[in-house]
Structure formats: structure tokens, C-alpha cells
Amino acid sequence: MSDGIITVHVTDLEGNTRDYEGLESYSLMEVIRDNGLPIKAECGGCMCCATCVVKIDEKWLEYLPEQSDDERDLIEDAGIDVTPQTRLSCQIILAPDHNGLKATLLIDL
């Protein structure tokens, strides 16, 4: 994708999917938060709160780095089943390969 704009498809807790744009190098959490979706993101992306957990469509896993041990621990501490698809959206930094990425919100405010 040229011009550094990445489009992501985000499904909210009610099952509504919308397209959002973010700049390359922004986190998925920033795109979700900046578009007014219900996400706490209390720590602002410092990976210490687990209030930005999303489920990534399985097709997109090969384009993401693996979860770190710290990320898995935070997701587990939030009471969410840890799978390769459950991720902290603050740890997904948008890149050209992520254009079209599909994510579903998992945390209710």
C-alpha cells in the first residue's frame, strides 16, 4: 500500500464490522482508540494493562510477530483464553503487509 495508510477491518462487541485507516507504524490499538471504538487501552500501549485485547482473524497470523511471553501472561491474567489469535492490539504495529487486517474486540468497557 502506498502513502503509508493501512486499512483495518474491526468488528465491535455487537458484531458490526467497519473499516478504519491508520498510518504505517501506528499500533492497532491507536487506530481502534482514535476512531472512538469502546476500548480502554489504559496504559496507552505500554503492555501493562491488557485492556486492548482483540482476536485476529486466523488468515492474518502469518503477518504478525509471535506473542511474547509477557503478552501471553497479560492476556491470561485478564481471564481470556490465550490462543495465537488473542493479541494485545498495542503490540500490533501496522505495516504494509497488514492492509486489510481483520480484528474483533474482546474486552467490554
Side-chain angles (χ1 to χ4, degrees), residues 11-109:
T11 303
D12 64 23
L13 295 167
E14 296 165 357
N16 302 309
T17 301
R18 292 191 176 87
D19 297 345
Y20 298 99
E21 291 183 340
L23 295 175
E24 184 178 342
S25 81
Y26 276 34
S27 71
L28 179 58
M29 180 272 298
E30 290 172 302
V31 173
I32 293 169
R33 180 196 63 201
D34 292 352
N35 281 284
L37 290 166
I39 190 169
K40 285 186 180 181
E42 290 174 343
C43 73
C46 296
M47 196 170 68
C48 61
C49 73
T51 60
C52 69
V53 180
V54 296
K55 179 179 180 183
I56 300 297
D57 186 281
E58 191 170 6
K59 169 188 170 188
W60 292 95
L61 295 179
E62 68 181 280
Y63 300 100
L64 301 177
E66 289 188 35
Q67 294 167 329
S68 68
D69 290 339
D70 289 339
E71 183 178 3
R72 279 190 292 278
D73 290 345
L74 279 170
I75 293 169
E76 185 175 54
D77 290 347
I80 297 172
D81 289 334
V82 177
T83 72
Q85 289 180 269
T86 51
R87 300 297 302 266
L88 297 176
S89 60
C90 66
Q91 297 304 298
I92 298 173
I93 307 303
L94 297 179
D97 285 349
H98 300 146
N99 193 51
L101 180 95
K102 294 180 181 180
T104 301
L105 300 182
L106 291 180
I107 299 286
D108 192 358
L109 293 177

